[in-house]
Amino acid sequence: MKRFLYNYILTPLLIAIGTLWFKSLRIECENPNVVHDLRRSGQPHILTCWHQHLILMFYYLRGWRDLTILISPSTDGDIAARLCQWLGFQTVRGSSFKQPFTSSRALLK
């Protein structure tokens, strides 16, 4: 029942609320040329952010269809993974603490 609540009730509700919230924001990138040059370069790269900025980063990068995101295999990670899939990102479930090499290899592929 808890998984049903997370996957089919809470996640769509958070997506709807988040979408309304994101549309009310004005996002300014401090150095947009770096971001655009990085994307145009075609070179592999790793982006990182603090947890409190994660949802905003998902929204800001929503046009990057070739982006793969490492997400925790926890129940909370299920919500983040569904959000990422809804925004069109690929996800890899793993942890930087438990089997970090497995997660890193999956991201590199």
Side-chain angles (χ1 to χ4, degrees):
M1 181 66 175
K2 187 176 181 179
R3 215 174 255 296
F4 175 80
L5 183 66
Y6 269 126
N7 291 334
Y8 298 103
I9 305 293
L10 186 60
T11 303
L13 183 63
L14 288 175
I15 289 169
I17 291 169
T19 300
L20 290 173
W21 177 55
F22 293 142
K23 289 186 183 290
S24 73
L25 299 177
R26 184 175 0 153
I27 299 172
E28 293 183 28
C29 184
E30 289 185 21
N31 198 344
N33 294 333
V34 172
V35 176
H36 295 299
D37 291 346
L38 181 64
R39 188 168 181 200
R40 279 189 235 127
S41 74
Q43 297 294 317
H45 46 276
I46 296 174
L47 303 173
T48 61
C49 72
W50 295 105
H51 285 106
Q52 66 266 29
H53 300 142
L54 193 61
I55 300 295
L56 191 56
M57 185 172 165
F58 289 164
Y59 184 74
Y60 181 72
L61 299 175
R62 68 191 177 281
W64 291 32
R65 296 294 178 222
D66 56 343
L67 189 65
T68 303
I69 299 173
L70 177 65
I71 298 178
S72 165
S74 69
T75 305
D76 292 341
D78 291 342
I79 296 171
R82 283 192 165 275
L83 177 63
C84 287
Q85 290 170 350
W86 183 77
L87 290 170
F89 300 127
Q90 299 174 34
T91 59
V92 170
R93 302 299 295 269
S95 171
S96 59
F97 294 107
K98 297 177 183 176
Q99 300 178 332
F101 296 111
T102 306
S103 303
S104 299
R105 267 190 257 126
L107 278 175
L108 290 173
K109 287 181 183 178

